[in-house]
Amino acid sequence: MAILHNILSFGALVVSVAAQTAITVNTATTYQTIDGFGFSQAFGRAKEFQNAPSAMQTQALDYLFSTTTGAGFSIIRNRIGSGGSGDSILPNNPGSPSANPQYTWDNDDRGQVWFTQQAVKYGVKTIFADAWSAPGFMKTSGSESTAGYLCGSTGHSCSSGNWQQAYANFLVQYVKYYASIGITVTHLGFLNEPDYRPSYSQMQISSNAQEAISFIPILYNTVQAAGLATKLTCCDAVGWQTTATYVPNLVNGGSTKYLSVITSHSYSADPSSPLTQTTLPKWNTEAGTGDASAFVTTWYSNGGIGDGMTWATKLANAIINSQLSAYLYWEGFENRQTQSGSHLVDTFDGTTAKPSGIFWAFAMWSRHIRPGAVRIGTSGSVSSTIIGAFKNVDGSIVVIFTNTGTSAQSSKISFNGFSPKSAAAWVTNQSNTFATTGATLSGGAVTCSIPGKSVVTVKLT
Ligand SMILES: *[C@@H]1O[C@H](CO)[C@@H](O)[C@H](O)[C@H]1NC(C)=O
């Protein structure tokens, strides 16, 4: 480890040149594949986006999806409605699980069809459709918005019968409606926060996941019988501590052979270490400040929940230290909802789209670390800095530094198994958003500086 620390003193003026620390990227050491980064426009936000003034709408779409000027988000999460007419494709109870369901499709899906089409135009390929609940008549509570279980799942019989197959048919029908307009739903979930009891769409499972374990094979077989390649996900718990409880049960219950992704939210607990019971990819499918912070453009103030730097650190902990394959924020665009930090792009003046500080934390990851990238090894360390390296499908390598300390650092990056021909670097900190910063390539190694409380993304081709 080469450390250079020069203090040049000119009378009263002291210029401190940060210690330059050597690290090595080892391309032969591989970890998880990155599926992408994303967000949702559920609960009417897609329609709000669709109805936004067109110049602002274009600005917001560019911020969210452009890989040259924006974050290049690559996953969207749509809500499969379970309510009444205009929300659900099955607003009315057919009377019994075996009766013929009267599905309806308005080709709009609360603006989510338009929103998905915009995402696809920018190259988004990962479309995650997630049901918060089964329709109310399929549940023990009889309502989609009160706590209840899926009738017929393990431990829950209902006088109306076993609705598991009917729920699977309903979910597959939703995917087929999207297929009929040329949109491939790639991932399908049947739960949202089943460990939480709010007064909107929701469905419960037990901590041993027995209801999910009984339903997952039925859903899998229904997807297969329909000739679809849709991948199944579970279970979008409210926090990773619950997911850590579900996962061993899903493994022991035989569910993981039907699943493609383990999904969780991070409201009640962030991911803190890898879940090793299954090799399935793990996605953080929802996160946000909720109303704990207003919508702010702050990068770093005091380490609060609304700071971009706070989320930069969460992303580094999730992707590097917990080996997640995807990370989704809650909502993307909202129009004049700046009292809440639930979303990434808003407007203060009603005409100009503005990204939050949190948006830039995501962009530092998602613009250059593209779907299919594989995380690769690094050795050596830089003080107060979380380091990750990724190899994209096109062969480029991205190294991302998250300096959580207040002192500037500097690093010299060498490579095993790669010879960089060009280097570029970008910095986001309190005074810069995705600004070009120096990356000096010499003798196959790259030198860059990393300001305190910043993220620096270095791309090598
Ligand atoms: C932000 O980064 C730039 C570029 O490295 C640096 O010049 C500036 O001092 C940093 N600002 C803060 C507040 O650290």
Side-chain angles (χ1 to χ4, degrees):
M1 183 161 61
I3 295 179
L4 263 170
H5 197 132
N6 304 327
I7 308 279
L8 310 174
S9 191
F10 306 97
L13 177 69
V14 175
V15 181
S16 172
V17 178
Q20 188 189 89
T21 313
I23 67 156
T24 303
V25 172
N26 302 304
T27 59
T29 308
T30 57
Y31 302 98
Q32 82 274 25
T33 297
I34 301 301
D35 294 315
F37 300 85
F39 63 91
S40 181
Q41 294 287 144
F43 288 100
R45 299 302 184 185
K47 186 55 79 180
E48 182 175 322
F49 204 165
Q50 186 178 7
N51 290 339
S54 95
M56 184 169 69
Q57 181 186 86
T58 302
Q59 287 174 339
L61 287 169
D62 282 346
Y63 275 127
L64 292 163
F65 293 121
S66 168
T67 54
T68 49
T69 58
F73 282 115
S74 53
I75 302 178
I76 61 167
R77 175 169 175 249
N78 290 337
R79 172 175 167 266
I80 303 173
S82 45
S85 179
D87 187 51
S88 166
I89 61 166
L90 186 57
N92 299 312
N93 184 349
S96 82
S98 55
N100 195 21
Q102 298 297 305
Y103 295 119
T104 83
W105 175 241
D106 62 7
N107 213 22
D108 179 51
D109 200 20
R110 302 181 80 186
Q112 292 182 121
V113 167
W114 171 85
F115 166 61
T116 305
Q117 286 166 338
Q118 307 315 302
V120 167
K121 275 189 208 161
Y122 282 84
V124 172
K125 294 188 176 66
T126 305
I127 315 292
F128 173 30
D130 192 16
W132 266 236
S133 174
F137 52 82
M138 298 186 184
K139 291 168 60 185
T140 54
S141 63
S143 158
E144 63 119 23
S145 57
T146 56
Y149 299 86
L150 180 60
C151 288
S153 63
T154 299
H156 308 284
S157 58
C158 298
S159 57
S160 62
N162 182 338
W163 289 86
Q164 290 185 106
Q165 185 60 56
Y167 185 38
N169 294 345
F170 162 88
L171 294 168
V172 165
Q173 184 59 47
Y174 179 92
V175 174
K176 284 183 179 170
Y177 280 132
Y178 271 79
S180 75
I181 53 168
I183 295 172
T184 303
V185 172
T186 54
H187 293 76
L188 176 63
F190 60 97
L191 290 169
N192 176 74
E193 301 183 353
D195 50 339
Y196 185 53
R197 295 170 171 251
S199 54
Y200 50 81
S201 318
Q202 56 149 316
M203 192 161 71
Q204 306 293 299
I205 64 172
S206 305
S207 56
N208 67 7
Q210 63 184 14
E211 299 82 1
I213 291 165
S214 73
F215 178 65
I216 287 167
I218 296 168
L219 180 56
Y220 179 86
N221 289 332
T222 307
V223 167
Q224 295 296 305
L228 295 167
T230 322
K231 296 174 169 177
L232 303 187
T233 71
C234 197
C235 313
D236 282 82
V238 80
W240 281 89
Q241 85 285 23
T242 320
T243 301
T245 310
Y246 292 156
V247 165
N249 285 293
L250 293 170
V251 171
N252 294 335
S255 301
T256 39
K257 65 175 173 286
Y258 304 112
L259 295 175
S260 296
V261 184
I262 299 295
T263 53
S264 182
H265 303 176
S266 52
Y267 291 105
S268 58
D270 283 315
S272 54
S273 57
L275 291 180
T276 54
Q277 297 93 344
T278 169
T279 56
L280 289 175
K282 289 97 192 170
W283 293 5
N284 196 63
T285 44
E286 198 181 312
T289 69
D291 295 332
S293 157
F295 180 92
V296 289
T297 58
T298 313
W299 177 256
Y300 182 75
S301 57
N302 55 5
I305 191 68
D307 284 6
M309 189 66 211
T310 298
W311 288 81
T313 309
K314 282 179 186 278
L315 281 158
N317 281 328
I319 304 292
I320 299 166
N321 298 334
S322 302
Q323 302 191 12
L324 301 196
S325 291
Y327 200 113
L328 284 68
Y329 201 70
W330 175 213
E331 306 272 18
F333 172 80
E334 295 184 13
N335 192 357
R336 292 204 129 158
Q337 304 295 324
T338 51
Q339 76 287 351
S340 160
S342 58
H343 52 292
L344 298 165
V345 179
D346 203 326
T347 176
F348 292 97
D349 61 6
T351 56
T352 312
K354 195 96 181 148
S356 66
I358 298 170
F359 168 91
W360 290 113
F362 277 83
M364 292 304 284
W365 287 80
S366 52
R367 190 190 287 181
H368 292 299
I369 303 167
R370 303 304 304 162
V374 174
R375 190 166 76 86
I376 53 180
T378 61
S379 51
S381 61
V382 174
S383 178
S384 306
T385 301
I386 309 170
I387 305 169
F390 302 83
K391 184 169 188 175
N392 278 314
V393 172
D394 68 5
S396 61
I397 287 185
V398 176
V399 184
I400 180 160
F401 296 94
T402 305
N403 183 355
T404 62
T406 50
S407 306
Q409 306 292 335
S410 153
S411 184
K412 182 177 182 181
I413 316 165
S414 301
F415 301 87
N416 277 334
F418 181 73
S419 311
K421 310 252 174 324
S422 75
W426 299 269
V427 61
T428 295
N429 68 349
Q430 187 62 346
S431 38
N432 292 284
T433 47
F434 224 112
T436 303
T437 184
T440 310
L441 181 61
S442 169
V446 182
T447 308
C448 66
S449 57
I450 312 154
K453 301 293 182 190
S454 80
V455 177
V456 171
T457 302
V458 186
K459 185 172 181 185
L460 301 313
T461 57

